Every structure is written in structure tokens, then in C-alpha cells.
Amino acid sequence: MSVEVDLLLQEAKESIEAAQNYRSELQQRLHGLNQARKQVRGSSGQAREVLRRHFTELQAAATRLLTERLSALLAEVDTIEADSVKPLDDCQSLIEHGVGQADELLREGEAALRCGLGEKEDKLGSFTKKAMHIQLDSLPEVPALVDVPSVSAQLDDSLLGLLRDRVSRHGSVSSHPPVQIEELQERPGSILVRWCKVDEDFAAADYRLQYRRSGSGGSQYEDAYIGRDSEFLVLHLDPHTDYLFRVCARGEGRTEWSPWSIPQTGYTTLAPHEWCPGTEGYILSSRRNIAMRNDSSQSRCPVLYSKAPTYFCGQTLTFKISAAGQMDRRDSLGVCVDSQKGAESLQRDQAVCISTNGAVFVNGKEMTNQLPAITVGSAVTFDMEVVNLFPISNNNLSEGGNFKLRVTIGSGNREVVFDWLVDQAVDCLYFGCSFVHSGWKVLVF
């Protein structure tokens, strides 16, 4: 009987645990459902507010433009009227003056005819002289109606049709953005953001990526990238800090941007790559990720190492050249197991590097394959992965190594791939550079 009870108790405990897990899963799904509803409600409210604000501003702008145009046309009518009426008014004044003179002459003539014989000769002589002075045969010219303006307004009735057509196609409402963030991949002091189209009918000409710190009320989104690529490495990020990323797109032949994607949160736990301060012949930027060679002494070519071994296998290490000096075959950009003090180049044992002339060195030996020469704008990448870990033995050590890494160095549109044997197991590596001549400037990320 006790065995049966124990079995029943065990089954009851398992059922209770299963019920608890089931309830927990349902609660999580309920939370996700509430988040989805909140997103639908919130985005719909924002869309309504954007539409109302835009069309209110559009109506005000259209009313203002129409009012300004009406005022300009009325001003043109006023100007034409004023310019045209003035000569007519002047002509009228001249005619009215002539009518007055004629009336006065008529009165004097009639008075001269009615006067006595003693005064008639004098008054008739005075009347005749005055009549000759007035020039009764000279009349002012009055313009014909066809020669004076007849003001009219010409209005294009097609404007309303064009406006109706444009307004009917102005704006759109979409339930999903045409592009979404696909992946956030942490890198040292940075995050690689990848995005993709989710609307196959949308022809994207450009993408726009923005980011900001998460949880900062006053923090505004800022542009990180605008271009045709579908991924971008956002640099200068603080480790263990959440950042929000969003992306939108612009269609072919369009000027406006699409709606933003759903913001995604990302962070990096990896410390940023930094050059080691205090190395002779080099000036570092404030973030210590940019180094400039400022000492042209050819007697010594010091190696500038990283502050710590922050490069891990599986990552991509990039050197970006923003300024170039004179090339020298002893120059080097690369990765090494340790930071040997006093070394003048990475063309040595336990290091792989590329020279500015494109030559590739593995443990101090030059390879047959060569990459393009390094110039301003060049980006040199190093990718490594563990191939095989040999058993540690004296025989293996004497053969040149017990740890094999597959190395890919890329420069320009070319790359070389080879296996690199090191004499100890390593999980992190230093990077470094050396330049004989001044003027070289390199960013690492």
C-alpha cells in the first residue's frame, strides 16, 4: 500500500510541477500577447497623430499659398488698373478744361452780339482774338476701346484635377515596415548590425540606420549609416550598455523614408580594441583606437602593440588606413602571441602580418602569395579559427608548434588563407603595427 501511495505522490508532484511550468509558459505568452497589443495600439495612436498633424500643417500651408497667390494676382490687377486709368483721367481733365473754355467763349460771343452799337465793335474784336487763341479746330485724341486694357483673369481648371489626383495618392498606411533588423552581433567596443527586407515588393535604394542609448530619457536617435549595404559596424560603444537600433529604407526614385523598423536592443560585453599608450614614435587618439606614426627616424622602427590581448579567434580584426606615408618593406600590420619589447617589426616568430607593400609574413618567413599594396582607404582584415590542438610534446615543439590556427588576411578584393603554427595554446592575441616612416595613420576595430 505504501508503495502505491509513494507512486501516487510522485505522480502528483510531477503533475503539479508540470502544471506550474504550463502556467508559467502561458503567463509568458500572455505577457507577449499584451506587448503585441500594446504595440498595435501604441503605433496606431502614433500613426493617427502623425496623419492629423501632417494634414493640418498641409492645409494651413495650402491656405497660405493660395492666399498669397490671390494677393499677388489682385495686386497685378490693381497695378494694371492704376497704370491704365491715369492717362484716361489726364485726358478727361484736358477735355473738361476745353469744355470750360468753350462755354466761357460762347457766353462772351452771345454777350457781344447783344451789346449796343458803341461797344459791339470792341467786344466782337476781343471775342475774335480769344476764339483764335483757343484754337477751336484742335481736339484731344480719345483712345479707342480696343487700345485700352480690358482686364481679365485666366485660371487653369486642371489644377483642381491635378491636386485631387496628387492628394488621393499622398501618404500611405502600412501595417509592417518594409525592412527589419535581422541580427545584432557584438564586437569589441562595437556592434555589427544586419538588416533585411521583409517586403519583397519594396525596391530599396538606400538604408538608414540609427541608434541611441537605451533607457536614457533625453537621448535622441542619431544616424550611424546611410547607404546601400545591409550591414554596418557601429563603433565607439561602451561595453555592458544597452543600445537601441532601428533601420528604415528609401524606395527607388523616392525622397521620403519608409517607417522605422521595430527597435532592437543590443549590447557588447567585449572591451574595445586600444593601442598601448607611451610607445615611442606614435600619437594616439583620445579613444586610443587610432594611431599615427610621427617619428621618421629610420634607425629604429618600434612596434606599437595593443594595450591588451583583446583579439579572440572567431572575430574579424580590421585595420583601416586613413593616412599613408612612404612605404618600407619592414612595415607591418598584424597579430602576435606576445608583445615583445624592443621588436622593430612583426616580421618575426610567433606573429603573422602584412607589410605595406602587400607581402605576407608568417613567423618571420615571407609567403609566396602577396596582397595589394596598402594605401589611403585600405582596409586590412584578419580572421582566425582554431584548426587543431596537437598533444603537447617535445617532438611537436621541435617541429614548430603545437597549436594550429587557420588565418585569413584580406586586403582590397583579395585574400590569402594559411595555417599558422604557434608553440602554445592561446585564446586571445595581441595586435600591432610598425612603420619606418612617418605619416601613417591607422584605425583598429
Side-chain angles (χ1 to χ4, degrees):
M1 188 68 179
S2 60
V3 175
E4 294 179 359
V5 171
D6 290 341
L7 290 175
L8 291 173
L9 286 174
Q10 182 64 27
E11 290 180 2
K13 290 179 181 179
E14 292 176 355
S15 298
I16 291 173
E17 183 178 357
Q20 289 175 339
N21 293 335
Y22 181 64
R23 182 181 64 180
S24 177
E25 290 291 336
L26 290 177
Q27 288 175 339
Q28 289 181 6
R29 282 162 174 74
L30 185 61
H31 176 71
L33 191 62
N34 291 332
Q35 290 293 105
R37 182 180 289 106
K38 182 179 178 181
Q39 177 172 301
V40 173
R41 299 287 190 191
S43 60
S44 298
Q46 290 177 356
R48 291 189 191 95
E49 178 61 27
V50 168
L51 289 171
R52 291 192 182 101
R53 182 173 63 252
H54 174 76
F55 276 88
T56 299
E57 293 174 352
L58 201 60
Q59 288 174 341
T63 301
R64 184 178 66 254
L65 291 173
L66 291 173
T67 302
E68 291 174 354
R69 182 57 181 162
L70 175 60
S71 299
L73 292 173
L74 292 176
E76 288 186 32
V77 173
D78 294 342
T79 300
I80 294 174
E81 181 184 29
D83 292 344
S84 303
V85 167
K86 186 179 185 303
L88 299 179
D89 291 341
D90 294 341
C91 185
Q92 180 176 344
S93 298
L94 182 62
I95 292 174
E96 289 175 347
H97 178 69
V99 170
Q101 285 183 324
D103 287 342
E104 183 180 352
L105 187 63
L106 284 172
R107 286 191 299 270
E108 290 186 8
E110 290 173 352
L113 292 176
R114 290 194 301 268
C115 68
L117 292 175
E119 300 176 328
K120 183 170 289 189
E121 182 178 355
D122 293 337
K123 288 198 174 185
L124 286 175
S126 174
F127 171 75
T128 303
K129 290 180 180 179
K130 193 171 185 179
M132 293 177 63
H133 178 72
I134 294 177
Q135 296 180 347
L136 295 176
D137 60 344
S138 176
L139 295 173
E141 184 179 356
V142 176
L145 292 182
V146 295
D147 295 328
V148 296
S150 176
V151 183
S152 63
Q154 293 78 43
L155 299 173
D156 188 357
D157 294 336
S158 66
L159 176 62
L160 187 58
L162 293 172
L163 189 62
R164 184 183 296 111
D165 179 62
R166 292 299 298 271
V167 170
S168 66
R169 294 184 288 109
H170 180 68
S172 62
V173 176
S174 59
S175 59
H176 293 84
V179 59
Q180 294 283 8
I181 291 178
E182 184 179 32
E183 182 183 12
L184 297 173
Q185 190 178 105
E186 69 171 345
R187 297 289 178 85
S190 59
I191 294 178
L192 179 64
V193 186
R194 289 193 176 97
W195 54 87
C196 63
K197 288 196 308 177
V198 293
D199 183 357
E200 293 302 325
D201 297 329
F202 184 84
D206 295 292
Y207 297 101
R208 182 181 183 183
L209 173 66
Q210 290 189 337
Y211 75 103
R212 70 173 178 87
R213 283 179 179 265
S214 177
S216 300
S219 177
Q220 299 293 325
Y221 277 101
E222 59 182 279
D223 287 332
Y225 171 77
I226 296 178
R228 301 186 66 90
D229 293 337
S230 57
E231 67 176 37
F232 183 74
L233 183 65
V234 182
L235 300 173
H236 309 320
L237 302 182
D238 295 328
H240 306 286
T241 301
D242 288 341
Y243 290 88
L244 288 174
F245 298 88
R246 65 181 186 180
V247 67
C248 64
R250 181 163 53 195
E252 292 283 358
R254 308 297 294 268
T255 58
E256 74 278 5
W257 292 99
S258 74
W260 290 104
S261 66
I262 304 301
Q264 300 290 332
T265 302
Y267 66 94
T268 179
T269 60
L270 305 175
H273 292 315
E274 294 183 7
W275 297 106
C276 184
T279 303
E280 179 186 354
Y282 292 92
I283 298 176
L284 306 184
S285 63
S286 59
R287 289 183 175 269
R288 297 177 180 174
N289 60 343
I290 301 176
M292 181 173 182
R293 181 79 160 91
N294 69 333
D295 181 10
S296 60
S297 172
Q298 298 187 24
S299 61
R300 185 173 183 272
C301 181
V303 173
L304 173 64
Y305 292 104
S306 57
K307 184 180 178 181
T310 53
Y311 174 67
F312 292 85
C313 292
Q315 299 178 358
T316 298
L317 180 70
T318 303
F319 298 99
K320 185 68 178 288
I321 306 298
S322 55
Q326 182 181 341
M327 288 185 186
D328 191 284
R329 66 175 308 278
R330 292 169 292 174
D331 296 338
S332 60
L333 281 168
V335 176
C336 52
V337 174
D338 52 17
S339 56
Q340 289 184 7
K341 301 300 180 183
E344 297 185 356
S345 176
L346 289 175
Q347 299 173 17
R348 60 172 177 82
D349 189 31
Q350 301 301 291
V352 293
C353 67
I354 177 176
S355 179
T356 51
N357 63 7
V360 177
F361 292 84
V362 182
N363 287 335
K365 296 180 180 180
E366 184 175 354
M367 292 184 61
T368 304
N369 295 333
Q370 187 165 332
L371 293 170
I374 297 174
T375 58
V376 176
S378 294
V380 181
T381 60
F382 285 76
D383 290 274
M384 298 190 187
E385 60 178 338
V386 178
V387 176
N388 192 14
L389 179 62
F390 294 101
I392 297 177
S393 68
N394 292 332
N395 292 334
N396 284 329
L397 287 174
S398 63
E399 292 173 2
N402 62 325
F403 196 66
K404 183 188 291 186
L405 299 174
R406 177 133 319 144
V407 181
T408 302
I409 304 178
S411 180
N413 295 322
R414 295 178 57 190
E415 62 181 26
V416 294
V417 182
F418 56 89
D419 289 341
W420 176 30
L421 296 177
V422 295
D423 59 10
Q424 58 181 322
V426 291
D427 58 355
C428 54
L429 298 163
Y430 289 88
F431 56 85
C433 69
S434 65
F435 301 102
V436 173
H437 301 285
S438 62
W440 291 93
K441 191 175 183 180
V442 56
L443 163 69
V444 62
F445 58 89

